[in-house]
Amino acid sequence: MKEAIGLSEADPKHVLGGIVDLIRGGEGNEAAQRWAGACSSSGYCREACDYGVDPLFLVKMANYKNVRRRDGDAVRKNAAASFRRVAKSLRIISRLQLDRSEVARLQPEFKPATNGDEPDIAFYIGCNVGKTPHIVLLCVEILQAMGFSCEIIGGSSACCGINQFRAGDGETAGRAGMAALSQIEAKQATTNLTWCPSCQSQFEHIILPAHQLMTGRDDLDMTPFYVFLERHLDRLKPLMKHDMSKRVAINERPGRPDVVHSVERLLSEISGVELVHLDVPRAGLMSTYLTVTPKFKESLRVTEFEAAARAGVTTLATIFHGCQRELCKFENGVSFEIVNAVEIIGESIGIRVEDTYKKLALAASVEDALESCAPLLAEHGLNADEARSALLADMLGSRPLQGAVQEVV
């Protein structure tokens, strides 16, 4: 991120010295604060370090300590406000797409497993994936088609704690993450899956290490959904019988190279899919992680779209929900479809679920979008003005910067 935030000429020792000082509770320096606040979790720094240090985690902790130092007693209030915004947005946006029975299916009331009803898979979806419900539905139906039983854990009542952590409230973040982990454990599933890379990162870096320190156990892990599918390609491939006739470019995210590799492998196994690699810059764990540098994010999108058009792709396949939500609204202005990779996998099996979020995003106006889901507004008793504000904020509005209080989506 150094070019995007104006640190290309900064002295590395000066910046890193400031990072270490931030972690120790000091003020660091302006360059270190800027770098910590701009980290988009691309992970390139890990490849550049020769000393066995995880620079990504180092910078994440520097930002956490800087926010705590800067905001002081306000961190808990800020964290609570951040969580409320995320929960309210999820509640409204999901209900503009789902009826009550569908909401109950994707945001189920938690019930621990009892002897004999343990699922094969506990599928932890986090919070904001619920804004793109077709992704969750497709994941579950694909797993079931593969012969796995699956139960969903997620929604604002099972938060991983990352928004509170970024707001500097580590105590609340820890309680939230541990509570979510307890729900996952209580399902007694053979395998625990995640969808959201933000949640995966929070569990890997914060929650699971803390759990191990507290309990002495190291038997818990979380596997990304696409990685799990690749591991069980022997069960999935026979189901992918439909020829797709698609020329596909993947909207790659360097923050999870394992997931990118799995998506490439999965799509390459589908008859009729031709993968095209776009030689363009890549950054961020998700597109939403680049909000701190809006001009840089926009330049990456334009560069990728232009390269995809030149390559004659029929499809730009996003990997994560945050990228799908941010990019799908541009579909009317490009020569290719913008879909999530799981839609392609599902279609190859014969499973189709409409992307209702895209339908809202491509409406001519917010008013048209609201009119299209008027029956759901009435069914859920949603306030039209609140729904309008939620749509504007989610689809059109900018978000606070990462170094301040940024909702991770």
Side-chain angles (χ1 to χ4, degrees):
M1 299 295 290
K2 62 183 188 299
E3 290 88 357
I5 60 175
L7 290 181
S8 296
E9 304 303 319
D11 175 60
K13 290 184 179 180
H14 175 69
V15 179
L16 292 170
I19 290 290
V20 173
D21 189 48
L22 287 174
I23 291 173
R24 290 172 172 166
E27 295 184 8
N29 53 56
E30 191 274 338
Q33 292 178 16
R34 200 190 318 171
W35 189 32
C39 176
S40 64
S41 296
S42 296
Y44 292 126
C45 55
R46 288 171 165 165
E47 301 170 9
C49 182
D50 298 325
Y51 299 97
V53 174
D54 184 348
L56 179 63
F57 181 67
L58 203 69
V59 173
K60 177 185 291 189
M61 293 306 299
N63 188 61
Y64 169 75
K65 293 297 290 286
N66 188 45
V67 171
R68 284 185 70 90
R69 179 194 60 79
R70 184 194 66 209
D71 294 346
D73 293 340
V75 294
R76 182 160 293 184
K77 180 180 72 174
N78 293 343
S82 173
F83 175 76
R84 284 196 296 270
R85 283 192 294 269
V86 170
K88 182 177 180 179
S89 178
L90 170 64
R91 179 177 63 84
I92 294 175
I93 299 298
S94 63
R95 282 161 176 76
L96 292 177
Q97 304 173 70
L98 304 169
D99 62 29
R100 286 177 179 170
S101 63
E102 292 168 327
V103 169
R105 181 184 178 189
L106 297 188
Q107 300 173 25
E109 180 181 349
F110 172 72
K111 292 181 181 179
T114 56
N115 290 336
D117 68 350
E118 300 89 349
D120 297 320
I121 293 168
F123 186 29
Y124 180 75
I125 63 171
C127 297
N128 278 284
V129 187
K131 292 181 182 179
T132 45
H134 77 294
I135 288 177
V136 183
L137 290 169
L138 282 165
C139 289
V140 172
E141 292 196 24
I142 289 169
L143 291 171
Q144 290 175 343
M146 294 170 68
F148 295 109
S149 59
C150 173
E151 291 192 19
I152 296 172
I153 302 165
S156 54
S157 63
C159 173
C160 72
I162 192 168
N163 284 298
Q164 298 92 326
F165 184 83
R166 283 202 165 171
D169 186 359
E171 293 81 3
T172 302
R175 286 195 296 271
M178 288 296 183
L181 187 62
S182 294
Q183 290 191 33
I184 295 168
E185 276 195 283
K187 290 297 182 182
Q188 302 179 49
T190 305
T191 305
N192 302 320
L193 297 188
T194 61
W195 169 270
C196 175
S198 294
C199 297
Q200 181 78 28
S201 173
Q202 184 72 357
F203 277 110
E204 287 181 348
H205 287 160
I206 308 296
I207 304 304
L208 289 175
H211 180 270
Q212 183 175 351
L213 284 172
M214 294 166 62
T215 65
R217 293 169 50 197
D218 62 356
D219 57 333
L220 284 175
D221 62 1
M222 309 290 287
T223 303
F225 173 81
Y226 289 115
V227 173
F228 178 82
L229 289 194
E230 186 195 7
R231 289 176 183 172
H232 293 83
L233 194 54
D234 58 327
R235 297 177 70 157
L236 178 62
K237 189 173 180 179
L239 303 174
M240 300 190 295
K241 299 176 180 179
H242 298 272
D243 189 289
M244 302 299 294
S245 299
K246 291 181 184 288
R247 185 172 167 84
V248 179
I250 299 172
N251 175 244
E252 299 174 23
R253 293 294 160 189
R256 293 298 312 199
D258 57 338
V259 175
V260 174
H261 170 81
S262 293
V263 171
E264 289 176 341
R265 175 75 190 286
L266 291 164
L267 295 184
S268 70
E269 294 290 342
I270 298 174
S271 176
V273 168
E274 178 189 1
L275 287 181
V276 178
H277 177 74
L278 303 179
D279 187 15
V280 297
R282 307 289 187 181
L285 187 63
M286 286 192 286
S287 177
T288 47
Y289 272 60
L290 295 165
T291 301
V292 69
T293 51
K295 290 183 179 179
F296 178 55
K297 179 169 76 168
E298 179 70 4
S299 72
L300 291 178
R301 181 188 66 78
V302 170
T303 300
E304 183 174 46
F305 280 11
E306 289 176 346
R310 286 195 302 271
V313 306
T314 63
T315 305
L316 180 66
T318 62
I319 294 178
F320 299 117
H321 60 292
C323 305
Q324 178 65 15
R325 282 175 33 227
E326 288 223 339
L327 297 181
C328 73
K329 62 185 177 183
F330 296 103
E331 190 177 82
N332 285 341
V334 295
S335 57
F336 43 84
E337 64 178 352
I338 301 174
V339 302
N340 189 264
V342 77
E343 295 179 63
I344 302 174
I345 296 170
E347 191 175 346
S348 74
I349 299 173
I351 302 170
R352 293 175 176 83
V353 181
E354 183 184 13
D355 183 349
T356 47
Y357 185 92
K358 184 198 289 187
K359 183 178 179 181
L360 292 174
L362 292 179
S365 67
V366 172
E367 297 306 324
D368 285 350
L370 286 175
E371 184 177 348
S372 71
C373 50
L376 292 173
L377 272 170
E379 179 178 347
H380 295 295
L382 294 175
N383 179 281
D385 289 335
E386 284 191 338
R388 183 180 298 105
S389 296
L391 281 175
L392 284 169
D394 203 71
M395 297 179 182
L396 302 176
S398 60
R399 298 184 184 278
L401 302 185
Q402 177 179 329
V405 181
Q406 178 195 24
E407 282 76 41
V408 180
V409 292

